[in-house]
Amino acid sequence: MKIDDEMIDYVSALAKLSLPDDEREKARQDLQSVLEYAQVLSEVDTGGVEPSSHVAEAVNVFREDEIMPSFDKREILKSAPRVKDGQYLVPKTVE
Amino acid sequence: MKTALEYGRLLAERQIGARELAQSFMDKISSGNGKYNAVLRTCGESALSAADEAQKRLDVGAALSPIDGVPVLVKDNISTKGIKTTCASKMLADYVPPYDAAVIEKLRNAGAVIIGKTNMDEFAMGSTSETGYFGAVSNPWDASRVAGGSSGGSAASVALGFAPLALGSDTGGSIRQPASYCGVTGIKPTYGAVSRYGLIAYASSLDQIGALSIGAGDLRAALDIMTGIDKRDMTSADALKPSAQKVKPIGEMRVALPKEYFGEGLDDGVAKCVLSAAKELEKMGAKVSECSLSSVRYAVPAYYIIACAEASSNLSRYDGIKYGMRAEKYEDLSDMYEKTRSEGFGAEVKRRIRLGAFALSSGYYDAYYLKALKVRSIIKQAFYKVLEDYDMILCPASPVLPPEKGESLADPMQMYLSDIYTVSVNLAGLPGLTMPCGFCGGLPVGCQLIGRAFEENALLTAAEEYQKATDFHLRAAKEAGL
């Protein structure tokens, strides 16, 4: 798998990370070298093997839909970088 | 030298006071931390008032646990209400959690006194504790070398006598490898044994909270407190605490030495120390023999693809809106996301997010992510198969001695490869313990015990017996004058 400039730009856009021109080559090489190393996995015969996204015997955990106290709004908003009138302040999203 | 349990006993017997003890450890940190950067902040008044509360109980013989009043340090990715929790990232440099992690609730309910937060790799992504925003942690045995990572601050703190007990987290070896580099004992419990509620996520299917101390007895005490089901973590299991688990005497234990773990790439000095530990266990009556675990060569690539995929998803929450930092200048919403994340994350975190985003992207998902998940199944089965015939596996924790600072930052691929002996344990969800087993050129070497799921007590018992017969675990403590 060859990682070119277009691919590293695409991956950065997916990850919402900007990629200045002077960092592109390093980022490209880093991804390239890990993927080259990961090639070793293609040796493994995984035919008929189920993937393990989890080691635990994962089952749905259900609970009753009960009304319980939640965190205090003022406490939670203390963590936000920008707040106005008790709400998160974000840039305009709809014209 | 004193363990957490010994301090607990002295407190219960009122030979020492809880406030004085907490103050003396915080004083030791403020005078000794400068050179090592193991601790990011101490808790001051809040620690002293918790100590005063403990003292009231101790005075009337009503200790809540064997470590009531004992000072504890906590890795900075475990949420502590009212105490900054930064993950050693610029992104969370000013974040103060509005709640305690489940393990912190449990420790507080057991009377433990939280005296500070320890340094780490940024978001636990690293094997050297050098990638954090607040600088690298130095190895207590040689400050020009790394302490290991990502729980390097917790491991170094125990070795330096900053606290008798510290919490860490382990996603691919982040407790076991720094324990080896710093000459302390550390355990990663079985996946699900300890609630992850309040542990800031890196790779959720691999992350697990554990503990570090001088000796195995303290780790049992810590896990006795922390183990158990928690509805707030859907992967948490109804696990028995270690001291309630049945365990064989050491003389009946069967120990496997996987031959692939002693091959190419392993430092001769490390190999010698680990094999001498095998001999020691044999002397104590354990049956030690060779086994095969050929899947080891696939563990590192499978681990990095899975861990980074999960990280890219988990870290998408840092959007500059609900918590954490936000960039000062931006044009619109999308630009705000990009600038915030680009300024807030360090190089290693960005590297892993990009790899994860690639592995999950349409067109490459099957070839990389799904393939890695299938390899994970094969690795898990291989470990389970060996553990049908054996009670535990003995192997190195790291193929090398602690590297010089800076080497791993220059060559991240080399750093990833050094995780070869630890990552499989997380992929398989098994418990792993590292304990000191010798020295090489003045640097400590640790060996790793890997056990069956939910059988931590077998590892703790073997380690405890080993530590009765040897004194490697006491040397770090002696040096630090604990």
Side-chain angles (χ1 to χ4, degrees):
Chain A
M1 176 72 210
K2 181 99 179 87
I3 300 295
D4 54 17
D5 282 359
E6 200 183 326
M7 177 57 84
I8 198 71
D9 282 341
Y10 171 65
V11 166
S12 301
L14 282 179
K16 290 266 180 252
L17 292 169
S18 50
L19 188 59
D21 288 339
D22 58 341
E23 289 175 24
R24 182 175 293 109
E25 184 50 24
K26 175 89 175 84
R28 194 191 64 73
Q29 282 174 14
D30 283 346
L31 183 55
Q32 182 77 60
S33 63
V34 179
L35 293 179
E36 272 166 22
Y37 177 59
Q39 271 310 313
V40 70
L41 294 182
S42 63
E43 290 172 12
V44 188
D45 179 6
T46 50
V49 177
E50 286 294 313
S52 294
S53 57
H54 234 277
V55 286
E57 307 293 319
V59 286
N60 282 327
V61 178
F62 295 103
R63 62 167 171 80
E64 292 304 312
D65 189 17
E66 290 164 350
I67 296 171
M68 287 187 290
S70 61
F71 284 107
D72 183 85
K73 181 177 162 185
R74 281 162 305 179
E75 281 300 309
I76 293 297
L77 284 171
K78 276 186 198 166
S79 299
R82 299 274 193 89
V83 171
K84 193 181 176 190
D85 302 332
Q87 295 175 69
Y88 296 122
L89 185 65
V90 296
K92 194 188 225 180
T93 53
V94 181
E95 289 300 329
Chain B
M1 94 94 207
K2 284 180 193 69
T3 63
L5 286 172
E6 284 166 335
Y7 278 116
R9 189 172 48 78
L10 291 175
L11 286 162
E13 290 170 357
R14 296 167 69 200
Q15 294 190 40
I16 52 173
R19 171 178 272 263
E20 293 70 29
L21 189 64
Q23 188 64 61
S24 74
F25 277 111
M26 289 194 286
D27 288 347
K28 197 164 178 184
I29 293 167
S30 53
S31 66
N33 190 50
K35 185 174 169 192
Y36 299 100
N37 200 22
V39 176
L40 291 175
R41 69 198 70 83
T42 49
C43 297
E45 218 26 72
S46 78
L48 295 176
S49 64
D52 289 343
E53 289 302 312
Q55 193 61 54
K56 284 182 201 159
R57 295 187 294 270
L58 295 162
D59 282 342
V60 295
L64 295 170
S65 77
I67 59 163
D68 199 345
V70 174
V72 175
L73 283 165
V74 176
K75 188 177 180 181
D76 213 24
N77 60 349
I78 299 175
S79 301
T80 42
K81 185 176 182 176
I83 303 166
K84 251 194 221 178
T85 299
T86 69
C87 278
S89 179
K90 185 180 177 188
M91 184 63 86
L92 292 176
D94 295 311
Y95 175 61
V96 180
Y99 67 102
D100 272 331
V103 292
I104 300 299
E105 287 174 352
K106 288 187 168 188
L107 280 178
R108 289 194 204 275
N109 290 337
V113 175
I114 290 154
I115 58 166
K117 303 295 293 282
T118 58
N119 202 356
M120 53 185 281
D121 282 299
E122 185 180 5
F123 282 101
M125 298 182 195
S127 312
T128 59
S129 296
E130 292 176 289
T131 70
Y133 180 61
F134 305 107
V137 180
S138 304
N139 191 296
W141 297 81
D142 176 350
S144 73
R145 293 175 185 267
V146 303
S150 66
S151 309
S154 289
S157 289
V158 169
L160 291 162
F162 289 168
L165 183 66
L167 295 193
S169 68
D170 189 316
T171 305
S174 284
I175 288 174
R176 293 160 288 147
Q177 183 254 36
S180 176
Y181 284 1
C182 293
V184 303
T185 310
I187 190 165
K188 178 205 96 77
T190 310
Y191 185 81
V194 172
S195 170
R196 292 180 294 109
Y197 177 76
L199 170 68
I200 298 179
Y202 159 21
S204 307
S205 82
L206 304 161
D207 295 341
Q208 187 64 190
I209 295 172
L212 302 100
S213 176
I214 297 297
D218 283 357
L219 303 183
R220 183 186 288 107
L223 289 189
D224 277 349
I225 292 165
M226 299 197 294
T227 300
I229 195 157
D230 177 5
K231 285 184 179 154
R232 297 165 299 183
D233 170 5
M234 65 159 272
T235 60
S236 118
D238 195 6
L240 283 181
K241 58 183 188 178
S243 61
Q245 297 167 8
K246 271 197 192 155
V247 64
K248 286 180 187 173
I250 184 87
E252 290 173 24
M253 287 182 182
R254 295 158 302 169
V255 180
L257 289 177
K259 59 174 189 276
E260 294 83 357
Y261 282 60
F262 292 88
E264 199 189 334
L266 177 61
D267 180 276
D268 287 344
V270 174
K272 224 174 121 196
C273 292
V274 176
L275 290 171
S276 72
K279 282 266 174 300
E280 191 63 42
L281 291 174
E282 214 161 29
K283 244 199 282 175
M284 289 153 43
K287 283 156 207 63
V288 182
S289 56
E290 211 175 64
C291 76
S292 176
L293 265 171
S294 57
S295 57
V296 61
R297 54 193 301 251
Y298 307 115
V300 169
Y303 168 79
Y304 274 94
I305 288 172
I306 294 168
C308 293
E310 293 186 25
S312 81
S313 167
N314 272 326
L315 272 66
S316 64
R317 71 190 61 177
Y318 300 103
D319 57 4
I321 295 175
K322 300 181 292 300
Y323 36 70
M325 62 156 274
R326 182 187 294 190
E328 286 292 321
K329 289 192 182 119
Y330 45 84
E331 282 163 15
D332 54 21
L333 188 70
S334 183
D335 193 45
M336 184 197 80
Y337 291 149
E338 284 200 9
K339 289 217 166 71
T340 295
R341 292 165 61 78
S342 300
E343 290 171 24
F345 294 139
E348 184 59 32
V349 172
K350 288 183 204 171
R351 194 177 289 135
R352 295 193 191 196
I353 289 176
R354 283 198 181 97
L355 171 59
F358 172 83
L360 291 176
S361 67
S362 130
Y364 302 100
Y365 180 94
D366 286 2
Y368 290 93
Y369 182 62
L370 197 62
K371 181 79 182 179
L373 293 183
K374 289 179 179 172
V375 172
R376 180 181 192 176
S377 302
I378 291 173
I379 291 169
K380 183 188 168 187
Q381 282 158 15
F383 272 81
Y384 272 68
K385 182 110 187 38
V386 167
L387 290 166
E388 279 173 17
D389 299 328
Y390 294 91
D391 297 291
M392 64 191 68
I393 294 163
L394 172 67
C395 62
S398 166
V400 292
L401 294 165
E404 295 284 338
K405 282 195 227 164
E407 283 178 9
S408 303
L409 291 180
D411 186 359
M413 206 54 231
Q414 207 49 48
M415 174 172 80
Y416 300 167
L417 290 173
S418 76
D419 295 338
I420 183 155
Y421 300 137
T422 47
V423 293
S424 299
V425 172
N426 302 77
L427 291 172
L430 300 171
L433 177 149
T434 293
M435 60 181 177
C437 65
F439 290 83
C440 196
L443 295 166
V445 174
C447 63
Q448 183 182 201
L449 296 172
I450 301 165
R452 293 191 198 110
F454 303 108
E455 293 190 16
E456 287 79 8
N457 205 17
L459 308 182
L460 293 163
T461 301
E464 227 168 9
E465 294 295 326
Y466 179 81
Q467 292 181 334
K468 277 183 203 159
T470 59
D471 74 341
F472 301 116
H473 63 297
L474 299 177
R475 299 219 200 142
K478 254 181 222 153
E479 299 266 320
L482 192 91

